[in-house]
Amino acid sequence: MENDKYGLNHRYPEISADEVTSRKVKLDIGKYSLNHKHPKISSGEAIPRKVKLDIDKYSLNRKHLDIPTSEVMSRKVKSEIHKYSLNHKHPEFSAGEVIPQRKKTNPYKPQANKNDGIIFISFFIFLIIFGLLFLVWKKQDVSEMEKRALQQKPILSPERLFNGEYSKEFEAYYADQFPMRNQFMGLYKSLVTLMNTFPGGKQKIHLVTGAKNQPNDILKANNPHAKKQDINNQFEQNNKSETNLENILKEKNNDEKGDNSAKIVEEKTQNRELQYNDNSNIIIDGKAMEIFGYFPENAVAYANRINYLRDVLPDQVRLIHLIAPPAIAFNGLEELESESKIVYQAIEQIYQTENDSIIKVDAITNIAKHADEYIYFNTDHHWTGRGAYYAYQAFCFYTGQTATALEDMELTKPDYKFLGSLYSFTGNSPLLENSKDQAEIFLPKHSGTNTVYSDTSMSDGVPTMLLDSESEIDSQYILYSGGDVALSLIKSNIDNGKSILVIKDSYANAFLPFLMDNYENIYSVDPRYMTDPILHFISEKGISDVLVLNSAFITGNAEWLGGFDNIVGY
């Protein structure tokens, strides 16, 4: 019974145990073969069919056993090809016929072709209209917005045509005289101003970028080995901008949450000592200021020029140096504290590099005491007559002279207001339209005349304005002592025989008239326009003091630096 319990005959007792065992073995074989459901087929016959079935199981003929395996494998390969081709839905075509192209109508193509045609025709009409307008549009000599002379129609000649000069000048002519150019520029500037507005803070701070005048790199003029061969090329690339700012500050504000203006500006002004003369401006509550930056290498190179001048001047001639700080140094905002610090850093580095025998005028400290007064214009990059006076006051202190008190001078003003250079630099920003300036003209105790010359021969003198509050002119800054010229002489009636030469940029124009209470002859030269050497001129005119007065931006002005090198022989 125990044997039957685990055998096949526990349900069939009529079968003997030996017979059951034999049949059990066969049944075990049949269990894992194809004939366990077909006991009529012997094991030997069933096993080969199992192998075939395994092959058929992974082939295409498992449902078509009448097809030979070799033919099935071939059809399987074809099926795989068709599976990834275009004719798997079209078995009547061979792969070679269907794969090359698939033709299907694009429902959007007609409309796309129509739109392309409209765009092409519109652009063609635009070219025709503005081409015709260019022919009849009134050409301008000067851009009031940019404060510069515009390119005029070039003269055509075979030589200029083949050397490429004519094409370059005509391209500039077309760009400068393009119809509605000022309107397009104003629209662009307005969009840029809107994009660069800092949210939050007690004041609204707007970053406005201008055009790039020079490459942002170490000036070749500061390399004594390269300057002689490259400086002329640099002059040709510069326009004669009084400030000649250098870089575009291209960052945009990406954070629109909360009061983040301080954080934003702090991030923008960190490590700014690696930049110089950014041609970008900040507008704060209707007052525009230039962003300042500089390369330390340029500051040192500039100071070495002043040291050289000290070495070549006669010992009895005093050399005085006054750096005019930009308005950003006195912005008074915590958000822009780092912008102020970098100005102090630049001036300090220059003065520390200079020889002890040079008299260094710390004008920035004296001006800072009056930061809440009208010391810089709202819409112009220069200081006002009041700001220039506080620099003059510091000059007299460091040179041992007496400065005439401001209250002892008569104050006059033009009867109109103006919008200055920063209004132009910001693309006539509407943020400045209600911030018009009015020049304060202080009259020293002594009066004088002002004459301009083209060279040191002083043979072609032309009288020009001096402390003129009556003339109506586009920029009132010119009213102080005229514009920038090669050489000028202010002749004072003080009659003390003292003479001074001022090597300058435009910042000196509001400063010069104050010297009439200290010097009889006040000569000034601008290296951007003067080409004659000045050392002989200094001795010839009996000049006892030489003052170098210019903006802190001067360290990046290749045109001024190159001109300075030329007139002093550096």
Side-chain angles (χ1 to χ4, degrees):
M1 188 67 180
E2 292 295 325
N3 291 339
D4 291 343
K5 180 179 180 180
Y6 301 101
L8 296 174
N9 64 346
H10 63 282
R11 295 183 180 180
Y12 305 98
E14 67 276 10
I15 302 174
S16 64
D18 293 338
E19 187 177 356
V20 168
T21 301
S22 175
R23 293 179 64 183
K24 179 181 178 183
V25 172
K26 292 180 180 180
L27 187 60
D28 288 339
I29 294 173
K31 180 179 179 181
Y32 300 101
S33 66
L34 295 174
N35 66 349
H36 64 283
K37 294 183 179 181
H38 306 280
K40 295 180 180 181
I41 302 174
S42 64
S43 299
E45 184 180 354
I47 290 175
R49 292 183 63 182
K50 177 187 176 184
V51 174
K52 291 181 180 180
L53 187 60
D54 287 340
I55 295 174
D56 294 342
K57 181 179 179 181
Y58 301 101
S59 66
L60 297 174
N61 69 344
R62 65 178 189 269
K63 295 184 179 180
H64 308 280
L65 300 177
D66 54 328
I67 302 174
T69 301
S70 59
E71 184 178 349
V72 169
M73 295 301 291
S74 175
R75 291 178 63 180
K76 178 182 177 183
V77 172
K78 292 180 180 180
S79 179
E80 291 296 323
I81 295 174
H82 293 169
K83 181 179 179 180
Y84 300 102
S85 67
L86 298 175
N87 66 348
H88 63 281
K89 294 183 179 180
H90 305 281
E92 67 275 12
F93 296 103
S94 65
E97 292 177 336
V98 181
I99 289 176
Q101 59 180 345
R102 178 184 181 184
K103 295 183 179 180
K104 187 176 181 180
T105 303
N106 184 353
Y108 303 103
K109 189 172 182 179
Q111 185 62 37
N113 292 337
K114 182 178 179 181
N115 293 340
D116 291 343
I118 293 174
I119 293 173
F120 175 79
I121 294 173
S122 301
F123 181 71
F124 185 72
I125 293 175
F126 175 86
L127 292 179
I128 293 177
I129 292 175
F130 277 86
L132 294 175
L133 283 176
F134 177 78
L135 296 177
V136 300
W137 200 265
K138 184 179 179 180
K139 305 302 185 287
Q140 296 180 326
D141 296 329
V142 178
S143 171
E144 297 296 335
M145 176 182 290
E146 300 173 86
K147 308 293 184 186
R148 70 175 181 88
L150 298 177
Q151 176 68 46
Q152 301 303 303
K153 186 176 181 180
I155 299 175
L156 178 62
S157 67
E159 181 182 357
R160 289 168 52 81
L161 179 63
F162 288 109
N163 64 17
E165 290 183 6
Y166 178 80
S167 60
K168 290 180 181 179
E169 291 185 9
F170 191 88
E171 182 179 357
Y173 166 65
Y174 185 81
D176 279 0
Q177 304 294 345
F178 190 80
M180 302 177 64
R181 179 174 180 272
N182 289 345
Q183 288 79 359
F184 284 120
M185 290 179 61
L187 176 61
Y188 168 76
K189 292 289 186 179
S190 298
L191 293 175
V192 172
T193 300
L194 180 63
M195 294 170 62
N196 290 286
T197 299
F198 298 107
K202 297 179 181 179
Q203 291 86 5
K204 290 184 178 180
I205 303 175
H206 302 267
L207 177 67
V208 184
T209 58
K212 188 175 182 180
N213 293 328
Q214 283 186 206
N216 178 17
D217 58 4
I218 307 296
L219 291 181
K220 291 181 180 179
N222 290 335
N223 183 345
H225 299 290
K227 69 180 182 181
K228 291 186 178 180
Q229 58 185 359
D230 294 328
I231 194 65
N232 290 332
N233 294 332
Q234 292 187 21
F235 293 165
E236 294 175 1
Q237 294 172 3
N238 293 325
N239 59 27
K240 293 192 174 183
S241 166
E242 290 179 346
T243 53
N244 205 3
L245 311 177
E246 309 299 336
N247 299 326
I248 297 178
L249 188 62
K250 294 182 178 180
E251 304 95 333
K252 293 181 181 178
N253 173 37
N254 294 320
D255 192 347
E256 300 291 340
K257 300 179 180 179
D259 184 359
N260 294 314
S261 59
K263 178 181 178 181
I264 293 169
V265 178
E266 181 180 359
E267 291 175 353
K268 291 178 181 294
T269 54
Q270 286 179 346
N271 299 323
R272 285 291 306 285
E273 67 273 11
L274 297 180
Q275 302 175 3
Y276 74 105
N277 293 4
D278 292 325
N279 193 8
S280 300
N281 309 287
I282 284 180
I283 301 176
I284 305 172
D285 290 343
K287 182 177 179 62
M289 292 177 283
E290 297 170 303
I291 291 288
F292 178 80
Y294 79 108
F295 272 128
E297 294 88 342
N298 288 345
V300 172
Y302 170 68
N304 287 335
R305 286 176 165 86
I306 307 301
N307 289 334
Y308 174 82
L309 179 58
R310 173 64 276 175
D311 293 339
V312 297
L313 284 175
D315 294 339
Q316 68 273 18
V317 176
R318 296 192 301 176
L319 178 59
I320 310 154
H321 191 197
L322 193 161
I323 300 176
I328 195 72
F330 315 105
N331 65 81
L333 300 178
E334 292 182 3
E335 296 92 336
L336 298 176
E337 183 179 2
S338 57
E339 288 289 347
S340 178
K341 287 182 178 179
I342 196 172
V343 178
Y344 282 85
Q345 174 185 332
I347 295 176
E348 181 181 5
Q349 183 178 13
I350 293 170
Y351 281 167
Q352 287 182 349
T353 308
E354 293 176 350
N355 298 336
D356 294 338
S357 58
I358 298 171
I359 300 175
K360 309 169 188 66
V361 178
D362 182 15
I364 190 171
T365 300
N366 195 51
I367 296 174
K369 297 176 183 178
H370 307 275
D372 57 343
E373 301 179 30
Y374 187 44
I375 55 176
Y376 285 84
F377 290 110
N378 297 322
T379 66
D380 196 276
H381 65 281
H382 296 106
W383 52 21
T384 63
R386 187 178 297 269
Y389 170 80
Y390 293 126
Y392 159 74
Q393 195 176 52
F395 166 83
C396 289
F397 174 79
Y398 282 94
T399 57
Q401 304 183 70
T402 301
T404 303
L406 194 62
E407 54 269 21
D408 293 337
M409 298 184 186
E410 180 184 352
L411 173 61
T412 63
K413 296 181 180 180
D415 58 1
Y416 65 98
K417 295 184 177 181
F418 77 106
L419 293 168
S421 58
L422 290 179
Y423 178 67
S424 301
F425 292 168
T426 58
N428 296 358
S429 172
L431 301 172
L432 298 175
E433 290 179 353
N434 296 324
S435 303
K436 290 186 177 181
D437 289 292
Q438 188 175 27
E440 292 182 323
I441 299 177
F442 296 94
L443 303 180
K445 290 181 178 181
H446 296 86
S447 60
T449 59
N450 189 14
T451 308
V452 299
Y453 306 90
S454 62
D455 54 42
T456 55
S457 69
M458 301 184 69
S459 59
D460 56 353
V462 177
T464 189
M465 61 184 59
L466 177 65
L467 300 176
D468 184 355
S469 59
E470 297 181 358
S471 297
E472 187 168 344
I473 197 166
D474 197 34
S475 175
Q476 292 184 7
Y477 190 74
I478 297 178
L479 299 177
Y480 292 108
S481 62
D484 297 321
V485 295
L487 173 64
S488 72
L489 169 61
I490 296 176
K491 187 78 172 180
S492 171
N493 62 3
I494 192 174
D495 195 24
N496 63 0
K498 294 176 61 177
S499 298
I500 184 173
L501 172 66
V502 182
I503 303 175
K504 59 175 279 292
D505 67 1
S506 60
Y507 264 76
N509 295 350
F511 178 95
L512 293 175
F514 294 113
L515 297 177
M516 288 193 294
D517 284 345
N518 303 89
Y519 299 90
E520 181 178 343
N521 301 301
I522 302 137
Y523 300 94
S524 67
V525 297
D526 191 324
R528 293 171 293 180
Y529 309 103
M530 171 59 73
T531 58
D532 294 344
I534 63 171
L535 296 180
H536 177 71
F537 180 81
I538 292 172
S539 300
E540 180 186 12
K541 300 301 179 181
I543 294 171
S544 57
D545 289 340
V546 173
L547 168 65
V548 180
L549 193 165
N550 43 42
S551 164
F553 283 102
I554 209 68
T555 63
N557 190 325
E559 183 180 19
W560 192 96
L561 295 172
F564 180 89
D565 295 348
N566 181 57
I567 65 176
V568 303
Y570 180 69

